[in-house]
Amino acid sequence: MNRIALTHLRLLDGVTREAQDDVVLIIQGKRIAWIGPRDACSLHCSDRVYDLQGAYVLPGLWDMHSHLDFRLIPDSAGQPSLAESTLFAYRRALTCLDAGVTSLRVVGTQGGLDFALRDGINCGEYLGPRIFTAGPGLASTGGHGAIQGQGYDGPYEFRRAARDVVYQGADLVKVMVTGGIVGRHEAFDALQTMGDEVQAAVEVAHLWGRHVAGHIASAQAAVMCAELGMDTIEHGYALDRHALQVMKDHGVIYVPTLVVTDDPSYWSEVGLPDWAVTKVKQAAKSHRRAVETALEMGVPIALGSDLPTPFVNGTIGVVREMEALAKLGAAPRDLIVWATQTPALLFGLARDLGTLETGKLADLIAVPQDPYSAVRHLNDVRFVMKDGRVIRDILTNSAGSPLLAGYLEHERKERVEHGSRKDDSCL
Ligand SMILES: [Zn+2]
């Protein structure tokens, strides 16, 4: 089997605190076969060599809160068909991969398209990021995310719904617990799913070896869910110190999605209705306070964006999330751990993913400037490899053409040059 050699790089493996200079990585098949200093490395003449020109190489990023099919469309346009949503979702998955997000945790997508995409990518028929998906989120009747108000009522229905999504192939279970932003008649602190309902879903998920993510805005719901064994709490627009302490005590991972409220003007520009933009503004202050407190208390965090557009001013949601948290004082190295190692640990995949070590899967990215000095450097991903395949390469002079050259590259440039912030749906 031919090998790939990545040479002349600075390695941020996620294990050593400092960058290791002039390292060579040998990739054989999907995995890293060897890592070491250049002078200790013997290259074969059949090796395909990529000279990374001193770039910083780190593990591929995860976006821990994404929705492949979520887009803002005017009511007049009507609902897209499942076929249209599937094409849209696949394109979104590709743009994420191209930008360095090699793994996605999908927390609510309709119609089973996420299972089909994941399976098609996993078996090698389609190029794409690793997808771990919850399928449709479980909501109560009329609750946040319930499609046309259709949800579940009572512990028996939630138990059945959890079993059903696991049967369909869910890698985790998502439960919608309180109101949220895209819900016209609901408040953030409206508890929509009761304790016995959450408990039923959590029990089923854990018996089947799946973790549970909860859409939660209020402190009261976070306390209830942490005590019931929920594994990750998403958004937490109004978490207080007590709720964060209970979460920490129970080992709950907080996925703040701070970018949701960080810049309300973004939502106006991508077409969120005015009443929802008002809710974004309402949540902004308490959300920021919740995240500041979580950082100060050392609550475990994972990075997710929840943004419907992978490119925002030429970058991706998860890096924008990093930048928002960095403004509140989070250190670049921690932010990178929260987007690489923490997700791999949560999924029980730390043997294969999350850091760059011999024997692990070769999911990696390269940037010219040191992301440990500032996470904004992750906006400039020049090289992406997933499963040992070169996906993107605008860094080396290698003759081999990367897999996602062409169309996506052109589109990315257009977005940066024109400063476009429009959602994908308008293209
Ligand atoms: Zn979401």
Side-chain angles (χ1 to χ4, degrees):
M1 189 189 299
N2 279 2
R3 308 188 312 175
I4 289 178
L6 305 180
T7 66
H8 193 194
L9 59 93
R10 296 188 172 99
L11 183 65
L12 302 171
D13 58 10
V15 182
T16 322
R17 283 207 75 82
E18 303 296 327
Q20 301 163 60
D21 284 341
D22 211 7
V23 168
V24 172
L25 250 76
I26 305 284
I27 289 107
Q28 192 149 21
K30 294 181 175 186
R31 292 184 184 268
I32 301 169
W34 190 85
I35 300 177
R38 193 191 336 221
D39 48 16
C41 168
S42 56
L43 294 179
H44 302 169
C45 53
S46 60
D47 290 345
R48 174 173 261 180
V49 179
Y50 290 82
D51 178 342
L52 295 194
Q53 312 195 17
Y56 291 83
V57 168
L58 62 155
L61 304 175
W62 294 59
D63 188 336
M64 289 289 278
H65 191 116
S66 64
H67 303 277
L68 287 169
D69 58 351
F70 174 56
R71 52 179 159 163
L72 300 159
I73 17 180
D75 288 345
S76 55
Q79 283 304 304
S81 69
L82 182 57
E84 286 167 330
S85 290
T86 305
L87 290 172
F88 173 85
Y90 183 50
R91 185 171 164 285
R92 173 171 289 168
L94 281 181
T95 48
C96 285
L97 176 63
D98 183 56
V101 178
T102 50
S103 300
L104 289 175
R105 186 178 72 147
V106 178
V107 286
T109 290
Q110 300 304 317
L113 66 89
D114 45 339
F115 299 130
L117 281 184
R118 176 198 60 194
D119 296 345
I121 292 166
N122 283 351
C123 75
E125 283 184 23
Y126 297 93
L127 186 67
R130 290 173 201 291
I131 290 175
F132 302 92
T133 185
L138 311 187
S140 57
T141 293
H144 189 77
I147 302 302
Q148 293 176 330
Q150 299 299 304
Y152 307 99
D153 299 286
Y156 291 104
E157 287 194 15
F158 270 85
R159 198 172 282 140
R160 186 183 181 91
R163 288 178 173 138
D164 190 46
V165 290
V166 170
Y167 168 75
Q168 290 174 46
D171 302 293
L172 66 145
V173 173
K174 169 91 179 287
V175 182
M176 317 304 280
V177 184
T178 69
I181 285 168
V182 188
R184 194 164 194 169
H185 308 295
E186 59 187 34
F188 294 120
D189 58 358
L191 185 67
Q192 298 176 340
T193 301
M194 304 303 162
D196 56 351
E197 296 170 324
V198 172
Q199 186 176 19
V202 169
E203 273 177 6
V204 168
H206 286 177
L207 286 169
W208 285 81
R210 269 61 166 190
H211 75 261
V212 183
H215 166 99
I216 290 171
S218 72
Q220 173 213 19
V223 169
M224 178 186 90
C225 290
E227 288 175 343
L228 290 171
M230 192 163 273
D231 302 279
T232 73
I233 285 183
E234 317 292 307
H235 316 303
Y237 300 124
L239 299 181
D240 59 15
R241 191 171 286 273
H242 171 64
L244 288 160
Q245 187 62 52
V246 176
M247 286 163 60
K248 191 177 175 186
D249 292 345
H250 286 81
V252 177
I253 294 174
Y254 181 27
V255 184
T257 69
L258 185 61
V259 276
V260 170
T261 62
D262 186 51
D263 179 10
S265 66
Y266 162 77
W267 292 105
S268 301
E269 287 174 37
V270 298
L272 197 69
D274 288 346
W275 57 262
V277 176
T278 304
K279 292 184 87 176
V280 169
K281 290 177 183 162
Q282 278 168 1
K285 204 167 158 196
S286 60
H287 196 194
R288 182 190 165 100
R289 199 175 327 116
V291 179
E292 273 171 342
T293 312
L295 292 172
E296 177 202 315
M297 292 171 63
V299 174
I301 286 177
L303 291 198
S305 73
D306 206 18
L307 291 186
T309 313
F311 291 104
V312 182
N313 284 345
T315 184
I316 47 171
V318 70
V319 177
R320 223 170 102 88
E321 174 73 0
M322 285 187 184
E323 292 181 290
L325 291 171
K327 274 194 266 167
L328 301 187
R333 191 173 187 280
D334 290 338
L335 289 162
I336 291 168
V337 166
W338 301 339
T340 53
Q341 291 178 46
T342 307
L345 277 167
L346 176 66
F347 278 102
L349 295 170
R351 284 167 62 106
D352 288 323
L353 294 164
T355 58
L356 296 178
E357 297 173 83
T358 304
K360 288 199 174 186
L361 291 166
D363 282 15
L364 55 87
I365 60 175
V367 290
Q369 296 190 68
D370 185 2
Y372 279 8
S373 69
V375 285
R376 70 169 185 281
H377 297 319
L378 292 172
N379 291 324
D380 189 20
V381 171
R382 302 271 181 100
F383 187 90
V384 178
M385 174 178 272
K386 184 214 157 201
D387 264 343
R389 299 169 84 185
V390 178
I391 305 293
R392 172 180 176 80
D393 177 14
I394 52 166
L395 181 66
T396 78
N397 297 316
S398 164
S401 61
L403 289 165
L404 278 178
Y407 175 68
L408 291 175
E409 189 56 42
H410 172 72
E411 178 186 273
R412 188 182 170 93
K413 260 194 214 125
E414 293 249 301
R415 282 172 186 275
V416 176
E417 279 163 16
H418 298 125
S420 169
R421 300 176 70 179
K422 287 288 176 208
D423 183 65
D424 296 334
S425 57
C426 58
L427 290 170

